């Protein structure tokens, strides 16, 4: 046991410092990618404890790896192998809950452990919503995690998670930790870092201490303008967009963020869901362009799903749909923690198969009836391409006659649409969001006949009519399946591939898929950030180096050096 571990136990208590391999597994292992050794996992119970833990780790020359909910898909908040030059202290902020309302809920202050479900639940009685209300919230993703990674989302009117107002700790080039308050809230009676954090956590400030000048943004307020530019030759949103990298926004763990301040949005009181089906990709692109340019109001969400993704989700994601349908999202974070614990058994006992939880859940899933409504299933059999549109009641009155005319003029060749009942609309979107885990479930259950999987999230050019991917035979022949789904109105697509046994998925992705996407003018990743999987572009690297000049926090992110002070590694 090292001296720093003993010191950390003094700060947070013995039970909140984990060192055993089995105990740390759920924190070290990424949701889909990433794993490595840590000296300890520390779970502080207050912002002051978090400050003291970080201070100890910095003073001891340790790497700090900040983690919120560990729901990322590119390994951005877990270790990446065992080739670091310093031991890692992984700090989990999941207990640091707290949401404070400002201006009767027009803005919120979120502490590190606040998740999207809790924020949505807190705002609902006020008739307001957060940046994201479904999708990642279903698996307990944290608010700070979204901001730190410039995460995207399904909501067309709101853009990527972004704010210029945050309270954070920063380590300078000399290895000194400083508290920076750009939250727009004054704490006049607090002099030290501990006093500021104590006052913040307990809401010890007055309305007059809150700056409402609007000099700093609390959401990406020009996103709607960008997304309407359907003839632009560049993507509308992607993680490395230099215009969306600002201090805590897009910091990717290079800061110790204690709180962010964000705008909230009025909730649509009445909504309608239209379900579209077609066998022609140009049909959906024509609809997309019209929705973004011919109406004063934008849709709330527009989600695409290919027939193959529809089918695989029905077979390998129906338990996820059923859980959300009958339990809601409230209990899902606990269920996913239980899932991680079960999977840790496969590391501790060789006789336990890998992916035990997915295998058990799939066995349960086979006993469940399909969660897909009859009219959606009929469209699955009839059409290759599916689009779900959620719009406000006001916009529905304009969009429905437009769709009537569009499909009437185009005839059967264009496709068709129908207006969903409330239950059909709910299940349509739940089915779409279960797609993200369906490919991974398939890969785990059929591990004996596959070589693994690739999960890409890509931002296509806004003017791209040829948005549906056509793979060359040399790539297609290496795949067992390929699934396409995504946030269609902003041209952000999720593309999951399961490769054949004996094929290295990372080799295919790097040497074959990435060059293909580069030729198409796409940017990737679009919303899950670079993590340890993708090469960060120079603008993003400069952002990281400015935030963390000693390379003490989450080194190696964006496939950069893991060495202290950004020392170049030998090749």
């Amino acid at each position: 046991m090292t001296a720093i571990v003993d010191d950390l136990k003094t700060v947070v208590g013995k039970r909140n410092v984990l060192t055993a391999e089995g105990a740390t597994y759920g924190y070290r292992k990424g949701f889909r990618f990433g794993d490595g050794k840590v000296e300890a996992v520390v779970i502080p119970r207050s912002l002051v404890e978090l400050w003291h833990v970080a201070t100890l780790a910095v003073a001891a020359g340790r790497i700090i790896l900040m983690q919120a909910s560990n729901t990322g898909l590119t390994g951005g908040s877990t270790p990446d192998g065992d080739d670091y030059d310093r031991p890692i202290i992984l700090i989990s902020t999941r207990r640091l809950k707290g949401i404070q309302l400002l201006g009767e809920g027009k803005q919120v202050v979120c502490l590190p452990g606040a998740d999207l479900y809790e924020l949505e639940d807190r705002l609902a009685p006020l008739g307001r919503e957060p940046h994201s209300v479904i999708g990642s919230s279903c698996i307990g993703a944290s608010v700070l995690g979204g901001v730190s990674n410039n995460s995207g989302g399904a909501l067309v009117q709101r853009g990527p998670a972004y704010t210029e107002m945050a309270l954070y700790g920063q380590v300078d080039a000399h290895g000194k930790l400083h508290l920076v308050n750009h939250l727009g809230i004054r704490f006049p009676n607090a002099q030290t870092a501990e006093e500021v954090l104590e006052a913040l956590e307990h809401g010890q400030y007055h309305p007059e201490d809150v700056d409402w000048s609007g000099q700093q943004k609390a959401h990406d307020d020009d996103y709607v303008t960008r997304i309407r530019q359907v003839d632009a030759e560049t993507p509308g949103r992607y993680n490395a967009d230099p215009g969306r990298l600002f201090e805590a926004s897009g910091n990717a763990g290079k800061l110790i963020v204690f709180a962010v301040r964000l705008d909230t949005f009025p909730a649509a009181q009445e909504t309608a869901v239209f379900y579209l089906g077609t066998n022609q990709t140009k049909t959906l692109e024509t609809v997309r362009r019209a929705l973004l340019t011919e109406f004063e109001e934008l849709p709330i969400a527009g989600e695409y799903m290919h027939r193959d993704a529809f089918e695989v989700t029905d077979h390998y994601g129906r338990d996820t749909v059923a859980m959300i349908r009958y339990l809601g999202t409230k209990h899902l974070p606990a269920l996913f923690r239980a899932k991680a614990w079960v999977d840790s058994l496969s590391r501790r006992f060789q006789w336990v198969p890998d992916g035990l939880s997915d295998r058990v859940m799939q066995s349960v899933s086979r006993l469940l009836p399909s969660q897909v409504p009859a009219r959606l299933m009929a469209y699955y059999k009839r059409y290759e391409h599916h689009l779900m549109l959620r719009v406000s009641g006001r916009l529905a009155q304009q969009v429905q006659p437009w769709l009537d005319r569009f499909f009437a003029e185009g005839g059967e060749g264009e496709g068709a649409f129908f207006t969903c009942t409330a239950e059909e609309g709910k299940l349509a979107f739940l089915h779409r969001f279960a797609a993200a885990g369906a490919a991974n479930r398939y890969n785990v259950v059929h591990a004996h006949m596959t070589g693994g999987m690739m999960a890409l999230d890509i931002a296509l050019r806004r003017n791209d009519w040829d948005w549906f991917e056509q793979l060359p035979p040399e790539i297609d022949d290496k795949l067992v399946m390929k699934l396409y789904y995504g946030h269609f109105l902003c041209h952000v697509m999720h593309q999951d591939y399961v490769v054949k046994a004996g094929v290295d998925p990372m080799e295919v992705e790097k040497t074959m898929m990435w060059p293909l996407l580069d030729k198409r003018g796409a940017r990737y990743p679009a919303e899950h950030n670079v993590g340890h999987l993708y090469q960060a572009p120079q603008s993003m690297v400069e952002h990281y180096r400015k935030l963390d000049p000693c390379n003490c926090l989450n080194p190696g992110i964006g496939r950069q050096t893991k060495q202290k002070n950004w020392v170049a590694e030998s090749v």
Side-chain angles (χ1 to χ4, degrees):
M1 194 70 65
T2 59
I4 187 173
V5 171
D6 289 334
D7 292 340
L8 292 170
K9 289 180 179 178
T10 301
V11 172
V12 301
K14 292 182 180 180
R15 297 182 61 182
N16 297 313
V17 179
L18 312 177
T19 56
E21 184 173 346
T24 61
Y25 175 80
Y27 301 88
R28 294 184 290 104
K29 183 71 172 67
F31 185 73
R32 187 179 285 175
F33 177 86
D35 193 5
K37 294 180 180 178
V38 298
E39 186 173 9
V41 171
V42 186
I43 311 170
R45 298 160 296 185
S46 69
L47 296 184
V48 172
E49 283 191 358
L50 173 57
W51 174 261
H52 288 156
V53 167
T55 301
L56 285 172
V58 170
R62 290 334 194 232
I63 288 170
I64 295 177
L65 207 166
M66 300 296 299
Q67 183 182 98
S69 299
N70 194 17
T71 58
L73 301 182
T74 57
S77 60
T78 54
D80 176 44
D82 300 324
D83 58 341
Y84 292 86
D85 62 341
R86 294 150 288 167
I88 298 173
I89 302 296
L90 190 155
I91 304 176
S92 170
T93 62
R94 63 183 179 84
R95 289 186 180 174
L96 303 180
K97 303 288 187 180
I99 297 170
Q100 299 169 10
L101 304 179
L102 302 178
E104 298 180 338
K106 293 179 181 178
Q107 288 188 341
V108 291
V109 172
C110 294
L111 303 190
D115 65 44
L116 286 170
Y117 169 78
E118 293 165 338
L119 181 55
E120 181 183 351
D121 190 54
R122 183 76 182 275
L123 292 173
L126 305 177
R128 301 190 70 83
E129 293 177 337
H131 161 267
S132 180
V133 297
I134 195 168
S136 55
S137 60
C138 293
I139 54 176
S142 71
V143 177
L144 259 69
V147 172
S148 295
N149 291 293
N150 276 356
S151 298
L155 300 182
V156 181
Q157 303 166 358
R158 300 177 192 177
Y162 181 78
T163 185
E164 296 174 357
M165 293 189 280
L167 178 70
Y168 57 87
Q170 184 173 27
V171 182
D172 64 22
H174 304 290
K176 300 295 183 182
L177 179 63
H178 304 273
L179 187 67
V180 180
N181 182 7
H182 289 168
L183 200 58
I185 300 176
R186 296 176 294 273
F187 303 96
N189 297 322
Q191 303 300 318
T192 65
E194 288 87 348
E195 290 172 346
V196 170
L197 295 171
E198 181 81 16
L200 169 63
E201 185 161 13
H202 294 93
Q204 296 172 347
Y205 52 89
H206 299 96
E208 58 268 25
D209 296 322
V210 179
D211 181 5
W212 289 97
S213 66
Q215 294 181 352
Q216 301 297 324
K217 297 180 180 180
H219 82 280
D220 184 6
D221 60 357
D222 64 344
Y223 175 73
V224 169
T225 301
R226 295 201 311 277
I227 210 64
R228 285 186 183 274
Q229 297 168 349
V230 296
D231 291 317
E233 296 184 351
T234 57
R237 65 172 170 95
Y238 56 98
N239 291 129
D241 184 351
R244 256 45 64 186
L245 300 176
F246 185 89
E247 296 180 354
S249 292
N251 80 87
K254 287 294 185 179
L255 297 172
I256 301 166
V257 184
F258 294 94
V260 293
R261 181 174 164 185
L262 297 160
D263 286 329
T264 68
F265 306 86
Q269 298 304 309
E270 296 182 6
T271 64
V273 174
F274 301 115
Y275 199 94
L276 286 66
T278 182
N279 290 314
Q280 300 186 40
T281 58
K282 72 176 182 62
T283 295
L284 294 190
E285 184 60 21
T286 302
V287 171
R288 170 183 172 269
R289 286 170 168 262
L291 291 169
L292 294 177
T293 61
E294 296 184 19
F295 299 91
E296 181 179 348
E297 181 183 342
L298 288 179
I300 297 169
E303 293 296 298
Y304 167 78
M305 205 171 190
H306 184 263
R307 173 188 279 155
D308 293 343
F310 187 110
E311 179 180 9
V312 169
T313 302
D314 185 34
H315 290 291
Y316 295 91
R318 66 175 58 173
D319 57 311
T320 301
V321 175
M323 282 193 297
I324 300 172
R325 180 182 184 182
Y326 295 111
L327 298 179
T329 60
K330 182 175 183 178
H331 303 290
L332 289 186
L335 290 173
F336 274 86
R337 287 195 293 272
K339 181 180 184 298
W341 177 83
V342 171
D343 286 338
S344 72
L345 294 177
S346 63
R347 289 298 188 91
R348 297 169 62 186
F349 305 106
Q350 293 184 354
W351 52 269
V352 178
D354 289 340
L356 176 61
S357 65
D358 276 303
R359 295 174 186 272
V360 171
M361 292 169 72
Q362 185 58 27
S363 296
V364 173
S365 184
R366 292 191 182 101
L367 302 176
L368 297 172
S370 174
Q371 302 296 301
V372 178
R375 286 203 289 180
L376 273 67
M377 187 63 74
Y379 266 47
Y380 152 71
K381 295 176 181 179
R382 188 176 174 185
Y383 298 116
E384 182 179 1
H385 306 286
H386 299 238
L387 179 64
M388 290 146 268
L389 294 174
R390 186 183 298 278
V391 300
S392 70
R394 174 176 174 270
L395 184 57
Q397 296 176 7
Q398 304 169 44
V399 169
Q400 183 161 353
W402 187 95
L403 290 172
D404 283 329
R405 291 192 302 272
F406 176 77
F407 285 108
E409 292 170 358
E412 176 62 23
E414 291 288 359
F417 85 100
F418 64 87
T419 303
C420 293
T421 65
E423 184 70 1
E424 285 175 331
K426 174 184 176 181
L427 290 176
F429 276 89
L430 287 182
H431 185 68
R432 152 63 187 91
F433 285 110
N440 187 61
R441 172 78 61 79
Y442 177 94
N443 180 58
V444 171
V445 172
H446 298 281
H448 61 287
M449 55 177 283
T450 73
M453 68 173 291
M454 305 176 286
L456 296 175
D457 60 300
I458 66 171
L460 300 173
R461 295 171 299 171
R462 283 168 281 178
N463 67 344
D464 198 344
W465 279 88
D466 298 322
W467 55 269
F468 189 70
E469 182 176 71
Q470 301 293 333
L471 291 176
E474 58 268 24
I475 298 179
D476 214 20
D477 290 345
K478 298 180 184 295
L479 305 178
V480 175
M481 72 157 70
K482 49 185 183 287
L483 304 181
Y484 300 100
Y485 53 96
H487 314 307
F488 188 66
L489 296 188
C490 56
H491 261 193
V492 168
M493 301 297 293
H494 295 277
Q495 302 182 172
D496 294 343
Y497 313 86
V498 179
V499 303
K500 295 178 179 178
V503 176
D504 182 351
M506 287 306 302
E507 181 67 18
V508 173
E509 180 172 342
K510 292 179 181 179
T511 64
M512 304 180 80
M513 294 299 302
W514 291 357
L516 188 66
L517 292 172
D518 292 338
K519 288 181 180 179
R520 295 178 65 190
R523 299 293 180 91
Y524 52 92
E527 58 185 16
H528 290 152
N529 217 339
V530 292
H532 288 287
L533 184 59
Y534 297 96
Q535 185 80 25
Q538 190 58 37
S539 59
M540 187 175 271
V541 174
E542 291 172 359
H543 179 60
Y544 294 159
R545 295 189 69 147
K546 180 179 179 181
L547 298 180
D548 180 23
C550 71
N551 206 21
C552 300
L553 287 91
N554 207 9
I557 200 75
R559 304 199 67 80
Q560 299 301 302
T561 178
K562 297 176 181 177
Q563 303 296 308
K564 185 177 181 180
N565 297 325
W566 298 88
V567 174
E569 299 175 13
S570 58
V571 179

